[in-house]
């Protein structure tokens, strides 16, 4: 397919797409936990104990590209994106765009979205169920077409995931939102800027409100906005399309609405969560690595914790070099918090490192209700863990042993991989469909750092 002179292959099922579900045991490994409904023959086999060594570059950020795809709907002309990560969530986003009437194409790490003929306003239920963050399309689709239909994404493996703050902000901009059971219908006769205060800096609510406000008449002031780097990336993208936004990176956003936006070329920021995952994995294996292609300033809280654990770091503008001692020490207490605090998305991976660090680590999870599910699997590997509500007490042991494991959610899956890399013996990790939501070809990245990991 050709889109505005760019040669691209049409979006079609590729290796990053979901494999058909299998009703039986994982055929290759038959590992405990790789049981019913596991995808056929899809496990990581990891032989632990090799220090990670070498230099790798991270991919584009998942949490940045998804809202940018949603924002593309706001434009009148094609959007060209570079550094698009090949993730299953990327595939879901492109299918949503196609269902709305956009023409999209993906080639290597580039995507073109032509939203000039957007006609649809229904975000398909099954895609919302596949990717909860599809709710971020609500603001942009309604702003562009005058209405949007969305089924409520509901809770997920991380606990209850209400979108009340999204709806509050969109209503303040003049949207009528009818809720019938699980179905939402948002519509309006022209959006108007408003003064909105979020009681909690929700990332998704900030994104949804931003996307509706850029096409609203007049000025919107959004107080209590999320400050995550991915919000800043979205704002940079929107500004390049012609939006009037100032204040991103701080808690108050000022958005001056414009009548229309035009597409642009934009490179997605590097994935700070992938970078943090690789650095922690290197640290727990006693490795020596360089992780490139992201902004260390976006990962300050994680780097601070790694230093407290005894890792030596050299920080440059767009890369970090890490060398780790034979055994890490506990960082003490770590509490997750909105940016610039310690990211909840890195908490599970940190807990894997804590399982082997000398001393007791206390982890407080303050963002999501249920983000300790992976800990019971770490216990199967020999970890010493106690959970009390939203606090985990992890007493580091000298070694973990390989086991048959199953990823239950994206970052929990990354935690299991991290623990398996440092454990003695072999581990098999199923549930790869969760890991593939957020890490592009993780096994290739880790193999490049010398890990013994393969997909079987
Ligand atoms: C985004 C990220 C996710 C990250 C999270 C926090 C994407 C695609 N996902 O998720 O990886 O872990 O930010 O950094 O970018 N809440 C409400 N009402 C709302 C909205 C949120 O109560 O209307 C609650 C949520 O249930 C949750 C907390 O606020 O407990 C944080 O949610 P939010 O910041 O919105 O995260 P997401 O945008 O869902």
């Amino acid at each position: 397919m050709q889109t505005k002179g760019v040669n691209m292959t049409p979006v079609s099922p590729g290796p990053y797409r979901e494999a058909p579900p299998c009703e039986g045991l994982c055929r290759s490994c038959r590992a405990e936990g790789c049981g019913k409904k596991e995808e056929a023959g899809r496990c990581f086999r990891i032989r632990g104990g090799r220090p990670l060594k070498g230099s790798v570059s991270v991919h584009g950020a998942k949490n940045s590209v998804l809202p940018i795809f949603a924002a593309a709907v706001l434009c009148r002309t094609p959007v060209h994106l570079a550094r698009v990560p090949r993730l299953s969530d990327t595939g879901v986003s492109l299918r949503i765009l196609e269902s709305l009437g956009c023409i999209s194409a993906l080639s290597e790490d580039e995507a073109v979205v032509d939203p000039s003929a957007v006609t649809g306003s229904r975000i398909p239920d099954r895609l919302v169920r596949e990717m909860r963050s599809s709710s971020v399309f609500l603001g942009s689709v309604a702003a562009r077409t005058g209405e949007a239909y969305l089924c409520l994404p509901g809770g997920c493996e991380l606990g209850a995931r209400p979108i009340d703050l999204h709806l509050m902000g969109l209503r303040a901009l003049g949207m009528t939102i009818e809720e019938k059971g699980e179905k939402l219908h948002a519509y309006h006769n022209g959006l108007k800027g408003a003064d909105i205060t979020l009681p909690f800096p929700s990332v998704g609510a900030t994104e949804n409100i931003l996307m509706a406000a850029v096409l609203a008449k007049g000025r919107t002031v959004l107080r209590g906005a999320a400050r995550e780097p991915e919000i800043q990336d979205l704002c940079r993208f929107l500004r390049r399309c012609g939006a009037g936004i100032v204040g991103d990176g701080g808690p108050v956003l000022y958005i001056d609405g414009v009548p229309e936006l035009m597409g642009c070329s934009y490179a997605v920021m590097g994935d700070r969560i992938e970078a943090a995952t690789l650095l922690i994995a290197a640290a727990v294996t006693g490795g020596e690595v360089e992780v490139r292609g992201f902004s260390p300033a976006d990962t300050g809280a994680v780097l601070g914790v790694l230093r407290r654990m005894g890792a030596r770091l050299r920080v440059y503008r767009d890369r970090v070099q890490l060398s780790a001692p034979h055994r890490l020490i506990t960082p003490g207490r770590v509490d997750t918090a909105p940016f610039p605090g310690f990211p909840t998305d890195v908490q599970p991976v940190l807990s894997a490192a804590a399982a082997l660090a000398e001393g007791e680590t206390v982890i407080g999870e303050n963002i999501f209700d249920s983000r300790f599910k992976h800990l019971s699997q770490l216990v199967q590997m020999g970890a010493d863990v106690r959970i009390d509500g939203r606090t985990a007490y992890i007493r580091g042991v000298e070694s973990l042993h390989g086991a048959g494991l199953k990823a239950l959610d994206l970052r929990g899956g990354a935690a299991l991989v991290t623990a398996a890399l440092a454990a003695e013996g072999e581990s098999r990790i199923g549930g790869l469909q969760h890991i593939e939501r957020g890490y592009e070809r993780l096994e290739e990245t880790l193999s490049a750092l010398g890990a013994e990991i393969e997909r079987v």
Side-chain angles (χ1 to χ4, degrees):
M1 187 193 95
Q2 268 206 296
T3 305
K4 295 274 163 179
V6 181
N7 260 323
M8 294 259 177
T9 45
V11 179
S12 60
Y16 65 98
R17 283 280 174 88
E18 318 86 288
C22 159
E23 297 297 321
L25 286 175
C26 171
R27 282 201 296 248
S28 302
C29 68
R30 299 198 174 267
E32 192 188 330
C34 275
K36 281 190 177 144
K37 307 234 182 255
E38 188 49 71
E39 291 176 6
R42 283 157 48 82
C43 284
F44 281 154
R45 179 163 62 196
I46 298 174
R47 182 161 286 281
R50 290 172 77 113
L52 298 189
K53 284 197 163 49
S55 176
V56 285
S57 185
V58 297
H59 300 91
K62 167 182 99 73
N63 287 353
S64 195
V65 77
L66 301 183
I68 288 176
F69 273 137
V73 173
L74 296 163
C75 299
R76 297 273 164 191
T77 56
V79 167
H80 296 239
L81 295 178
R83 214 176 178 195
V84 173
R86 306 275 290 200
L87 306 169
S88 54
D89 276 7
T90 311
V92 175
S93 300
L94 290 172
R95 273 149 58 203
I96 292 175
L97 288 166
E98 285 169 356
S99 74
L100 297 169
C102 297
I103 299 168
S104 61
L106 186 65
S107 164
E108 296 298 323
D109 67 347
E110 291 185 19
V112 178
V113 177
D114 183 348
S116 51
V118 167
T119 46
S121 50
R122 278 179 199 277
I123 301 141
D125 294 2
R126 81 197 140 75
L127 298 178
V128 177
R129 282 192 206 101
E130 259 182 67
M131 187 179 79
R132 194 201 161 277
S133 54
S134 315
S135 53
V136 80
F137 279 84
L138 184 63
S140 62
V141 173
R144 170 75 194 272
T145 69
E147 65 175 347
Y149 293 87
L150 175 89
C151 72
L152 280 171
C156 72
E157 56 277 358
L158 305 184
R161 305 276 299 258
I163 59 166
D164 53 313
L165 303 177
H166 305 224
L167 304 188
M168 178 274 284
L170 295 176
R171 284 186 170 119
L173 292 169
M175 260 185 224
T176 302
I177 303 177
E178 290 172 0
E179 297 177 62
K180 278 193 195 134
E182 289 188 336
K183 306 273 180 191
L184 287 184
H185 179 205
Y187 56 93
H188 64 91
N189 275 324
L191 298 171
K192 265 179 77 177
D195 199 318
I196 302 167
T197 301
L198 290 177
F200 174 84
S202 155
V203 172
T206 301
E207 291 165 349
N208 246 329
I209 295 166
L210 251 171
M211 287 194 240
V214 289
L215 290 185
K217 204 165 177 192
R219 170 168 282 203
T220 296
V221 181
L222 178 57
R223 302 172 202 278
R227 299 166 60 188
E228 267 65 6
E230 293 78 12
I231 301 277
Q232 297 177 52
D233 210 32
L234 173 64
C235 290
R236 279 192 292 270
F237 168 77
L238 286 168
R239 272 194 292 268
R240 200 168 285 181
C241 297
I245 305 169
V246 293
D248 43 307
V252 186
L253 295 176
Y254 300 89
I255 306 142
D256 284 313
V258 294
E260 58 181 19
L261 295 180
M262 294 299 166
C264 69
S265 294
Y266 191 76
V268 175
M269 66 180 269
D271 197 321
R272 66 188 171 109
I273 307 298
E274 184 189 7
T277 302
L278 296 172
L279 288 168
I280 293 174
V284 72
T285 59
E288 197 166 343
V289 298
E290 177 180 71
V291 179
R292 311 185 308 271
F294 73 109
S295 168
D298 295 341
T299 322
V302 176
L303 300 183
V305 167
L306 277 168
R307 282 201 172 98
R308 268 157 50 200
M309 297 180 89
R312 286 177 300 281
L313 303 178
R314 280 179 175 216
V315 180
Y316 301 89
R317 190 181 54 81
D318 61 352
R319 66 200 155 101
V320 171
Q321 292 170 345
L322 171 144
S323 71
H326 178 64
R327 188 176 181 197
L328 297 172
I329 51 170
T330 173
R333 184 175 177 116
V334 178
D335 284 282
T336 64
F339 189 82
F342 192 90
T344 174
D345 286 350
V346 183
Q347 175 269 107
V349 180
L350 176 69
S351 71
L356 282 164
E358 199 177 337
E360 186 179 67
T361 303
V362 180
I363 297 183
E365 172 53 55
N366 299 307
I367 308 296
F368 290 107
D369 301 333
S370 175
R371 209 161 198 181
F372 287 146
K373 287 197 182 126
H374 61 285
L375 290 179
S376 61
Q377 310 236 348
L378 293 186
V379 169
Q380 283 183 43
M381 303 176 83
D384 181 351
V385 175
R386 183 167 63 83
I387 300 172
D388 182 6
R390 284 182 168 205
T391 308
Y393 300 83
I394 304 172
R395 188 170 289 280
V397 293
E398 283 193 14
S399 64
L400 295 175
H401 52 81
L405 306 163
K406 182 176 182 181
L408 300 172
D409 62 76
L410 164 58
R411 306 300 173 186
L416 301 184
V417 171
T418 303
L421 290 170
E424 288 173 4
E426 189 173 288
S427 297
R428 313 263 184 145
I429 302 174
L432 297 193
Q433 71 278 15
H434 293 293
I435 296 175
E436 287 167 351
R437 284 191 44 233
Y439 295 92
E440 177 176 334
R441 295 185 290 240
L442 183 58
E443 72 279 23
E444 287 178 22
T445 309
L446 290 169
S447 294
L449 293 174
E452 239 186 286
I453 174 170
E454 59 178 341
R455 190 181 282 256
V456 291

